[in-house]
Amino acid sequence: MPRASYSAEKNRIQKEIDKLEKKMQQLKAKERKPMIASIVKSMRDYDISLEDIAVIYNRKSATRAASKTAGGAAARPASKRVIPPKYRDPNTGATWTGRGKAPRWISDAEATGVSRDTFLIEQPAVPATI
């Protein structure tokens, strides 16, 4: 394809794209008015104020900003709570918190009839608060 015809074809397609984008914006503007009316009606029906919306909107914006600063990762609490182990294997010293799928050493022991309670770690007594 000669350079001149390529350039002319590219310009023609770009003009068509621009015309279609303008048409899309007009359609969105036309659909927007009834949507806004519907939202306002729902807000009145459920007694929702603009302040209620602003509080929720700002909370979500802060969450999005935090996730963006975390390198795009999902928003997480600043620190995770460490769960102390509840069970210990006397042979290997391996531990398990009691959450999630049981490790093989507990599953194997239970299959032979040993109670899970035999692997319990003695928890220190928690002082009573007044």
Side-chain angles (χ1 to χ4, degrees), residues 21 36 125 127:
E21 285 178 346
I36 291 173

Side-chain angles (χ1 to χ4, degrees), residues 84-88 117-125:
K86 188 173 179 181
Y87 301 96
R88 181 180 320 275
D117 294 340
T118 59
F119 299 105
L120 276 172
I121 298 172
E122 300 256 344
Q123 299 294 330

